Amino acid sequence: ERSETVRIMFTGFVATRQHMQMIETIGAEIVESIEEAHTATHIIVTDGATKFRRTPKLMVCICKSPNIIKLEWLEQSAKEQRVLDTAPYLLVGDKEAEKHYSFSMKETIQNGIQVRETTGGVLGGLYVYICSGVAGNRAPSTKELNLIIEAAGGKVLSSLATCKLLDPAKTIVLRSDPSIPSQLREPGVRNILKLGGKIVPTSWLFHVIITQCINPVIELD
């Protein structure tokens, strides 16, 4: 018997009342807010008509669950009145999405399982400082960025100025893409970089999340 409560999140399209009834039919729960996204066990990312989108909710969920699936899984589960295995319904082989975001969902799912077991997440053991002007600049909000980084196992730093106990080599400074010159002048940034920290653009972070892999190794920009 399944002991884990099935918690379903929709992202990239809006769920209908009918979808909510299906969730009730199989005894599952709905997760709606991004603050709760890390608790979702099943993430439905397309209804067949909408294109896959790398939403903030998706970036949180993909760090926590291997079940990135099509709506068809819910429809078939409701039809059989039980929670079906997700394997036949995983969103793998979406060539358009995989080309657009430069990733393979099959590899992402495998990578995610591995990094959660070994380091607690793809950013496990890393500290991340978000420069001023990053949030909302071709990037999610501050709250959403924090939730994404934390879901990936990273620790968000509110300041670098007083961080004497950190391991600089495990510290990432997140800048805008394209960068803003003032971000390098923020307190503690240059010092962390001198001591072995790395500065990376938001595009690096989003690629790490969507691939669940830090590859290539962080390079100083």
Side-chain angles (χ1 to χ4, degrees):
E1 283 294 305
R2 178 182 293 274
S3 57
E4 173 189 53
T5 301
V6 172
R7 292 174 58 81
I8 297 169
M9 174 159 257
F10 294 90
T11 180
F13 72 102
V14 179
T16 65
R17 186 179 294 176
Q18 191 179 8
H19 298 148
M20 296 301 184
Q21 287 171 341
M22 291 176 186
I23 289 172
E24 206 172 301
T25 298
I26 63 171
E29 297 175 357
I30 182 76
V31 180
E32 297 185 276
S33 72
I34 191 165
E35 290 87 352
E36 294 294 314
H38 69 282
T39 69
T41 60
H42 293 64
I43 302 87
I44 300 175
V45 293
T46 179
D47 59 1
T50 54
K51 290 183 180 180
F52 172 86
R53 286 170 49 224
R54 192 183 60 191
T55 64
K57 284 180 179 178
L58 184 276
M59 286 195 279
V60 170
C61 292
I62 213 165
C63 292
K64 291 291 188 179
S65 173
N67 298 315
I68 310 299
I69 51 180
K70 305 168 190 171
L71 179 63
E72 188 186 355
W73 168 83
L74 178 60
E75 293 169 337
Q76 291 300 320
S77 292
K79 195 177 284 185
E80 296 192 28
Q81 299 192 350
R82 64 190 180 95
V83 176
L84 295 177
D85 184 68
T86 57
Y89 305 99
L90 294 172
L91 189 76
V92 293
D94 182 336
K95 290 180 181 176
E96 187 180 349
E98 294 189 355
K99 183 180 179 184
H100 182 70
Y101 293 115
S102 303
F103 82 114
S104 155
M105 182 64 84
K106 186 178 179 182
E107 289 178 13
T108 293
I109 290 169
Q110 291 168 345
N111 291 344
I113 291 168
Q114 189 174 350
V115 294
R116 284 190 291 277
E117 285 178 357
T118 54
T119 61
V122 70
L123 295 180
L126 298 178
Y127 300 92
V128 183
Y129 172 73
I130 304 170
C131 291
S132 299
V134 168
N137 180 9
R138 296 176 64 190
S141 67
T142 299
K143 178 178 78 174
E144 290 169 339
L145 283 169
N146 287 350
L147 290 167
I148 291 165
I149 292 163
E150 287 164 2
K155 182 173 174 56
V156 180
L157 302 174
S158 56
S159 167
L160 287 176
T162 55
C163 294
K164 293 174 183 173
L165 301 174
L166 294 183
D167 181 347
K170 291 185 178 179
T171 302
I172 295 168
V173 176
L174 190 65
R175 64 163 176 82
S176 297
D177 190 9
S179 61
I180 301 170
S182 61
Q183 291 173 339
L184 266 176
R185 298 195 292 271
E186 289 184 30
V189 169
R190 287 191 185 279
N191 191 44
I192 279 285
L193 298 183
K194 280 180 194 169
L195 295 171
K198 301 290 187 289
I199 187 163
V200 297
T202 48
S203 55
W204 176 88
L205 173 67
F206 302 150
H207 193 254
V208 165
I209 298 297
I210 201 70
T211 59
Q212 288 293 289
C213 180
I214 299 185
N215 186 19
V217 175
I218 307 167
E219 294 288 349
L220 183 60
D221 189 80

